[in-house]
Amino acid sequence: MKRVVVGLDIGGTKFMVAAADPASLTVIQQVKEPAPEGLDDGLERLHAMISRVTTGATIAGIGAAVGGPLDWRMGVVSPLHQPAWRNVPLAAIMQERWKAPFRCDVDTNVAALGEHRLGGHAGNRLLYLTLSTGMGGGLIVDGRIYRGGLGGAHPEVGHQSIPFRCRHPECVRCECGAPDCLEALVSGNSIRRIYGKPAEKLNDDEWAEVAWNLGQGLRNMAALYAPDVIVIGGGLAQQGERLIGPARQIMADHLKIVPAPQVVVSRLGYDTALKGALVLAGEAAKPTSEIT
Ligand SMILES: [Zn+2]
């Protein structure tokens, strides 16, 4: 019987599910649906979507990208963007229903994994940033997800302090409570709060501020991690070189000792986390797979 691996991207407003060839991870079938509000409805919908993409094939492994917080070792998830999902034993539920090994991780980690394995970037140290309504990131070191200590804390690149430029400093407020976070200056929600309009409507001077601030964040990250490449995804990345170009230049101008990494827009687009979930599924499917 045909074997497939299955990837799940469990977002706040939509679910995406794909089945792929276990060796090449080439997508065979992919579906997208709105995310229901309730937990039972959400799980039912995921199961139905898995049925649809697998069409009776044997499932060799399932991987999932989920919003944090979560316990990736135990596969227990409590995504902030799904208020009805608290301490959900997703690994146990999926393994019981589909009789297949399961792995999940924080969506930005999974997206970083997807970019690293399938995005066509050079090097083994990749930092992935998502810039959308909020901001997050994932770091790949020597081909593996970098994890924090303290029981598996997830590093939060959006909450680094930067020397910012802003014409409305009274509007710079991070949801975490700190006064000068990168996220509070460059995320979609922050841009709306500061400038009173969406990113695509900013004028050149306002863009220059956003690019300066993002460039300072990139400079810090490059100085601390010295990655081969920084990949930027999420809705704001669709602004492309208009945003990335000046930010890359500001990063390079302020990096004096560490070489400047490449800074590129994601090539996987909205499927980055889903593709990463397929990579996780492929790892779960390996007979010698160990959780590290
Ligand atoms: Zn913050």
Side-chain angles (χ1 to χ4, degrees):
M1 182 176 293
K2 195 166 115 183
R3 293 172 83 243
V4 295
V5 289
V6 172
L8 316 176
D9 180 357
I10 302 174
T13 57
K14 66 178 190 311
F15 292 163
M16 292 203 284
V17 176
D21 177 84
S24 67
L25 300 182
T26 306
V27 173
I28 299 162
Q29 185 119 235
Q30 181 173 329
V31 291
K32 181 166 118 179
E33 297 251 354
E37 281 181 16
L39 173 61
D40 290 345
D41 289 349
L43 291 171
E44 262 326 296
R45 182 150 306 170
L46 281 178
H47 289 322
M49 292 169 78
I50 293 170
S51 281
R52 261 166 59 208
V53 298
T54 54
T55 57
T58 301
I59 300 177
I62 303 175
V66 193
L70 57 77
D71 181 334
W72 59 275
R73 288 178 185 273
M74 302 300 293
V76 176
V77 306
S78 306
L80 285 179
H81 55 49
Q82 286 280 1
W85 292 48
R86 287 297 170 265
N87 296 313
V88 178
L90 193 59
I93 290 166
M94 289 292 164
Q95 284 163 1
E96 164 70 20
R97 173 71 175 75
W98 298 100
K99 312 296 182 208
F102 174 90
R103 279 200 194 178
C104 65
D105 212 322
V106 176
D107 44 14
T108 48
N109 280 347
V110 178
L113 197 60
E115 284 291 341
H116 172 62
R117 299 282 178 84
L118 303 170
H121 308 288
N124 234 358
R125 290 170 181 77
L126 178 148
L127 178 65
Y128 175 78
L129 294 183
T130 177
L131 268 181
S132 55
T133 51
M135 179 183 187
L139 178 65
I140 302 294
V141 178
D142 295 335
R144 306 179 76 93
I145 293 169
Y146 171 84
R147 298 181 187 286
L150 308 170
H154 180 63
E156 293 286 356
V157 293
H159 300 279
Q160 61 175 297
S161 166
I162 58 157
F164 64 83
R165 288 182 181 173
C166 183
R167 65 198 55 206
H168 304 295
E170 71 282 3
C171 297
V172 179
R173 272 196 317 275
C174 192
E175 281 156 29
C176 80
D180 48 8
C181 289
L182 177 62
E183 172 165 339
L185 290 140
V186 302
S187 73
N189 284 345
S190 303
I191 287 173
R192 276 181 186 274
R193 181 187 302 131
I194 294 168
Y195 302 102
K197 52 190 159 182
E200 58 270 22
K201 298 247 169 79
L202 295 184
N203 64 37
D204 288 348
D205 289 345
E206 292 162 339
W207 258 119
E209 284 188 352
V210 174
W212 166 271
N213 294 330
L214 179 60
Q216 292 298 330
L218 294 175
R219 177 256 182 128
N220 286 346
M221 291 182 264
L224 289 171
Y225 301 135
D228 296 298
V229 58
I230 298 176
V231 182
I232 301 182
L236 278 183
Q238 292 189 328
Q239 297 292 321
E241 282 300 307
R242 186 179 179 217
L243 175 64
I244 307 302
R248 182 195 290 122
Q249 189 61 48
I250 286 155
M251 173 196 76
D253 288 348
H254 291 79
L255 267 178
K256 300 300 183 192
I257 299 174
V258 177
Q262 286 185 58
V263 179
V264 297
V265 172
S266 163
R267 294 173 198 161
L268 303 179
Y270 283 115
D271 289 348
T272 308
L274 184 64
K275 292 274 168 60
L278 289 169
V279 174
L280 268 189
E283 289 184 355
K286 286 178 192 154
T288 54
S289 175
E290 285 177 13
I291 289 195
T292 51

